[in-house]
Amino acid sequence: VYDGFISYSHAADDLLAPRLQSALQRFAKPWWKRRAVRIFRDESSLSANPHLWSSITEALDTSGWFVLLLSPDAAQSEWVNQEIEYWTTHRDPDRILPVVTDGQFDWNDGNVEGDAVPQALQGVFTEEPRWVDLRWAKGETQLDLKNPRFADAIADIASTIRGVPKDDLASEEVKQHRRTVRTAWTAGALVTVLAIAAAGFGIQSTRNAEEAERQAAIAEQNAAAEASARADADANAREAESQRDRAESEATRANANEALAISRELAASAINVLEDDPELATLLAIRAIDTAPRSAEVPAEVVSALWRAGGANRLVASIPATTERYVSISTDGTQTALSGDNRLTVMNASTLDELWTYEETTVDTFTYSEFSSDGRLAVGVIDSTAVDPATEPDSLPNRVVIFDAGSGEVEHTILLPDCTRSELPTWSPDASLLALTSGADGCVRNGVVHWLEVVDTSSWETVAFLPFDLSENGPLPRWDQSGRLFALRPFQEIVVFEADSFEIANTLSWGGIGDVNPDGTTMVLGLPAEAPLQSSYVVDTGTGFVRDVLPSPSSPSVPGGILLSDDGRWVFVGAAGAYTRVYELSTGDVVRRLATGNVESLAYDAGSERLFTTGGRTGLKVWDLRSTAIGVEQTGDLGGFDLVSSNSFQLVGASVAFTAFDVDSDALRSSLRFFEPGSGRLSDDAIVDFRMAGVLGDRAVFGLDMTIGRNVVLDPRTGERVAIDDLCDEVAEHGAGWQICEGPDDPFVFEMAPSIGGELLAVGRASGGVLTGELVSIDPLSGKVIERLSDSRLPIGGRGVVTDEWVAGNAETGLEILSRSTDELLYSDASGGLFQLSPSRALLAFETGQTNVVVLDTRSWEEILRFESSARVRGLSFDPDETRIAVGDLDSLSIVDLETGRVLQDLGLPGVSDVHWIDHETVVVGTNDGVFGTLSISTEAFLDSTRAALRRSFTPQECELYRIDPCPTLEELRAG
């Protein structure tokens, strides 16, 4: 589009740049052309919005040469450096033409240097570039082609841009100049001749003026001329109106393009701030949608920004799982502490930067910690029973260590040598007292096993020793703001002690472990799994009556999994399943549901409204409870089996079957689960210790029965299991879906890939170290072998796909698809994993290289799509029309158009394991952190719900930063 792109500093070359552009366009210009070359300069070429980067990059992409005006001001210009970086990244650096207008520019030791050299130009040239010196021009008043020195410089630049030798181009300029002079003389002579002729005609006209007939004829001619003129005027008026319409249309188009560019810019800004401020990202994404022109389709990247920002799950920071398993936060919200094994780490609560660390050479376990209101930190330490005193003496018994939270210096250590556990030190509100507990196993002190001890934190003398007659589970201490001490106990009376005197103020028959409201009027208690309901209970501390039940599908994690906010508004319950639920204490309603995984401790900062969670496998996670979020509508809870097996959704009869795993069990226990394919409702039925490998027909499921270590066929209606004895007599487990058998001659390993109709299994066999394969026909309900159909080469390994015409799976050389009738290799790939057939079986999708997805036309075996995901692919599913495919990975769920390969929607849903379409706008998803349910992919419905959930609008500073004018109100953003 452009022969050259002029990059310059407005401060330095605002006058020179337009003269340079004009001279280049006129130099050696043929008389019949408008300009010799087309040159891009921002102020002359950008009419709609000269500051939009997208317009600049478009011009850079379509320019032949990069004419770079160099000066000290240009070297410091952000725009000039940005344009250089873009050119050197996307275009040929050898097509950069430096023009020095001021300052120093030298070539020294393989690089350019001087105060006129921008940073972005460093290291670009491999040899000294050809450059033009125009530094003399700053003092010139006449800068046009009449100035010989300027014309010579223009010839240098123009010859490079046009690819014509300078001498030839200069000759062409002289030739065109002479032609122009000749044309001017010719035109003058022609004007003179015409003037003489006009005079002659005037004389003749005067002589004939006396003739009346002549005058009449002239009058008639004039009348005709007037009629013609009126017709021409009408035509001109119509043309003018048409031009006005075209101008209005062009203006509308220009405004739409400008709005589109602004919309894209806001969407990009939303993605940039998503990690730090998901709420602002949501506002920017909504504004991007509102700014996009109504007459055009909203760009995919704008829609994607809305989904990613509005669908953020409130997770704002995380630290992978380490040895630290317990978290606490200081009363002012500035510090957070992680403890576990033999290490205590204190971090900045905002940045998660480490402030100080305390470690010991023992293998003792640091457990729960708590900050005091005066800046101290207490942590319980359990003496390890794993240390052999004979070989590794350990003189440190169970203890509570008190630190200065600012410096990390140890202030005091309370030794508890007779205890097996002491892990819950609890400060009084004014930090003058510290309550210690005997722990779960207790220890004998003063003749009792379970007790609470209250210690003065200035003298470290015992203020009160409170014994309890308990057989197990020591009391959990909790304070209210008035200084009363609560002894919480499961299945035992809860005792409330008066402040200062520690006389018994009240005894409550309802037992449990949890937390106490700061005003001391309410307790939230969780009970062990033996309780009638796996829920949390809100108990009145005055009467002991249960005021409310906070429902949860699984038991709360106690003692660290129940927390009341300091203002008494929210209750946080970390359950044994995958979620932490946030309840409104006054109503008992669930107001937040966070995919935290199993939780061992919680900490909440009311000032920033952030929740800190830790668990054995989940690490530290920080959740922003202020942000707007939308996600999966839960249609069932998986309980402890909170990891959905990758790409395992398979239709069996009227249900969809899949495998879920309990990641916290030592043996990675599995469970066969079912849901309704039309609604996504999870069935209550579950078959524990069964790992599905595939579906056989409409009624049978094939897989590994973990209780007997054998592959079996299962009827999901009855739960009946039948071992496949005809294939293998002696069976031992060798991973999911595998059997190791002792054959007649050699031991062999096989894996079964059920066919679509359920009547065939592809069997992979390793005999004598050689991988072979065969097809076996079986009875789907009995598992009995009917016939071995083939002994030819078949791909094996991984769960493959078998149809009447072909079989797909992983062979030694990678993915192979073979014809069943001829053994012909129909398609191959270096690596392949997950497989998914479309409803009509015309399309086959598979994962290759872990992050790529390939879709094949099974009629021609041609690739119709190759899509690169952002993370490891774990779920594939075709929509009912076979026009889109849903790709789940560890970061998101993407909806991809099969015809164009364009990502229609990028849903910020992490850890997707599998996906199933309910209808055109709804999918079922299962994830690797326990999220299971339906998700609407309707952008309109998503936008409406996201608008309704907004809690604030832009601040004036944000509107100024993102050039939003006028700044919308919250009501305007909600209304759209």
Side-chain angles (χ1 to χ4, degrees), residues 523-793:
M523 298 179 293
V524 177
L525 306 175
L527 299 178
E530 294 81 16
L533 294 174
Q534 296 179 339
S535 303
S536 303
Y537 298 82
V538 180
V539 180
D540 188 292
T541 60
T543 64
F545 294 151
V546 175
R547 288 171 27 198
D548 201 358
V549 177
L550 307 180
S552 175
S554 53
S555 298
S557 302
V558 292
I562 296 180
L563 179 69
L564 269 159
S565 63
D566 290 341
D567 57 6
R569 176 188 174 192
W570 284 352
V571 182
F572 305 94
V573 178
Y579 291 106
T580 291
R581 287 166 173 79
V582 185
Y583 299 87
E584 188 85 36
L585 182 60
S586 60
T587 64
D589 294 336
V590 177
V591 294
R592 299 283 189 272
R593 189 184 60 179
L594 310 174
T596 57
N598 288 334
V599 166
E600 295 191 49
S601 66
L602 301 163
Y604 177 65
D605 175 38
S608 63
E609 295 188 44
R610 292 186 302 160
L611 180 69
F612 296 72
T613 66
T614 58
R617 293 174 57 88
T618 61
L620 172 67
K621 293 184 178 180
V622 185
W623 309 84
D624 184 355
L625 301 187
R626 299 170 303 177
S627 63
T628 301
I630 193 168
V632 177
E633 178 185 350
Q634 190 176 21
T635 56
D637 195 285
L638 297 171
F641 297 92
D642 55 3
L643 187 149
V644 175
S645 182
S646 174
N647 215 60
S648 65
F649 288 174
Q650 296 193 62
L651 189 65
V652 50
S655 300
V656 174
F658 65 97
T659 303
F661 294 96
D662 179 3
V663 296
D664 288 330
S665 62
D666 294 337
L668 195 65
R669 296 186 67 195
S670 57
S671 167
L672 182 64
R673 304 300 302 266
F674 304 92
F675 69 85
E676 298 175 1
S679 66
R681 292 290 172 188
L682 186 66
S683 171
D684 293 334
D685 297 330
I687 301 174
V688 181
D689 295 326
F690 184 85
R691 195 171 299 180
M692 181 177 67
V695 173
L696 301 175
D698 293 333
R699 294 168 49 195
V701 176
F702 165 75
L704 181 66
D705 188 330
M706 304 294 292
T707 61
I708 61 175
R710 297 179 69 101
N711 282 315
V712 300
V713 174
L714 178 146
D715 185 341
R717 301 176 307 167
T718 64
E720 179 183 358
R721 295 170 171 83
V722 181
I724 309 178
D725 293 328
D726 279 14
L727 284 178
C728 187
D729 292 330
E730 298 181 12
V731 182
E733 181 186 350
H734 186 68
W738 287 80
Q739 292 182 337
I740 302 177
C741 306
E742 294 292 335
D745 301 319
D746 294 301
F748 64 91
V749 180
F750 67 80
E751 182 177 3
M752 302 181 177
S755 67
I756 299 302
E759 76 285 358
L760 293 174
L761 292 178
V763 178
R765 180 193 299 268
S767 179
V770 179
L771 287 172
T772 61
E774 64 181 2
L775 285 178
V776 177
S777 173
I778 71 165
D779 181 340
L781 292 184
S782 69
K784 300 300 181 181
V785 174
I786 300 173
E787 181 183 4
R788 284 177 169 81
L789 302 177
S790 171
D791 206 13
S792 58
R793 181 172 67 99

Side-chain angles (χ1 to χ4, degrees), residues 6 58 110 347 352 430 472 476 500 528-529 541 618-619 778 800 875 908 965:
I6 296 180
E58 182 177 356
M347 300 178 295
L352 299 185
D430 62 0
E472 59 182 17
L476 172 70
D500 300 328
T541 60
T618 61
I778 71 165
D965 187 23

Side-chain angles (χ1 to χ4, degrees), residues 37 54 60 74 87 109 148 169 187 251 268 303 349 361 402 449 452 489 551 553 561 567 598 667 728 786 804 926:
V37 291
S54 58
L60 287 167
W87 185 275
D109 195 23
L169 200 61
V303 174
T361 56
I402 293 89
V449 177
L452 282 179
R489 305 178 296 174
D567 57 6
N598 288 334
C728 187
I786 300 173
D804 297 338

Side-chain angles (χ1 to χ4, degrees), residues 638 644 649 911-916 924-933:
L638 297 171
V644 175
F649 288 174
V912 175
S913 289
D914 205 355
V915 57
H916 168 81
V924 175
V925 294
T927 73
N928 61 4
D929 58 4
V931 177
F932 179 87

Side-chain angles (χ1 to χ4, degrees), residues 226-247:
E226 289 178 3
S228 177
R230 283 195 298 271
D232 290 342
D234 291 341
N236 290 336
R238 289 192 296 272
E239 177 62 25
E241 184 176 356
S242 176
Q243 289 179 354
R244 282 195 301 272
D245 292 342
R246 287 196 295 271

Side-chain angles (χ1 to χ4, degrees), residues 718-944:
T718 64
E720 179 183 358
R721 295 170 171 83
V722 181
I724 309 178
D725 293 328
D726 279 14
L727 284 178
C728 187
D729 292 330
E730 298 181 12
V731 182
E733 181 186 350
H734 186 68
W738 287 80
Q739 292 182 337
I740 302 177
C741 306
E742 294 292 335
D745 301 319
D746 294 301
F748 64 91
V749 180
F750 67 80
E751 182 177 3
M752 302 181 177
S755 67
I756 299 302
E759 76 285 358
L760 293 174
L761 292 178
V763 178
R765 180 193 299 268
S767 179
V770 179
L771 287 172
T772 61
E774 64 181 2
L775 285 178
V776 177
S777 173
I778 71 165
D779 181 340
L781 292 184
S782 69
K784 300 300 181 181
V785 174
I786 300 173
E787 181 183 4
R788 284 177 169 81
L789 302 177
S790 171
D791 206 13
S792 58
R793 181 172 67 99
L794 292 174
I796 61 173
R799 188 172 65 225
V801 177
V802 183
T803 71
D804 297 338
E805 299 177 353
W806 50 270
V807 57
N810 287 297
E812 290 181 281
T813 58
L815 166 69
E816 289 186 354
I817 301 176
L818 301 174
S819 169
R820 281 184 53 189
S821 60
T822 65
D823 282 349
E824 176 189 0
L825 181 64
L826 303 174
Y827 183 87
S828 65
D829 190 271
S831 64
L834 314 178
F835 293 91
Q836 188 68 40
L837 267 174
S838 67
S840 70
R841 301 169 60 180
L843 302 176
L844 172 67
F846 66 91
E847 167 269 315
T848 177
Q850 295 193 337
T851 60
N852 291 328
V853 175
V854 175
V855 178
L856 300 175
D857 186 327
T858 61
R859 294 155 297 194
S860 64
W861 298 110
E862 294 181 354
E863 292 184 10
I864 65 171
L865 174 69
R866 184 173 282 267
F867 170 73
E868 183 174 359
S869 187
S870 60
R872 183 177 179 180
V873 175
R874 293 179 58 86
L876 300 170
S877 182
F878 291 94
D879 78 332
D881 292 337
E882 300 184 12
T883 60
R884 297 170 294 172
I885 186 171
V887 179
D889 61 37
L890 294 177
D891 288 340
S892 63
L893 177 65
S894 301
I895 309 299
V896 184
D897 184 272
L898 288 175
E899 181 177 355
T900 64
R902 188 163 58 105
V903 178
L904 303 176
Q905 289 158 289
D906 182 8
L907 286 63
L909 184 66
V912 175
S913 289
D914 205 355
V915 57
H916 168 81
W917 291 79
I918 290 182
D919 53 43
H920 295 85
E921 294 187 342
T922 312
V923 295
V924 175
V925 294
T927 73
N928 61 4
D929 58 4
V931 177
F932 179 87
T934 61
L935 176 65
S936 171
I937 60 172
S938 167
T939 299
E940 183 177 351
F942 183 84
L943 179 60
D944 289 343

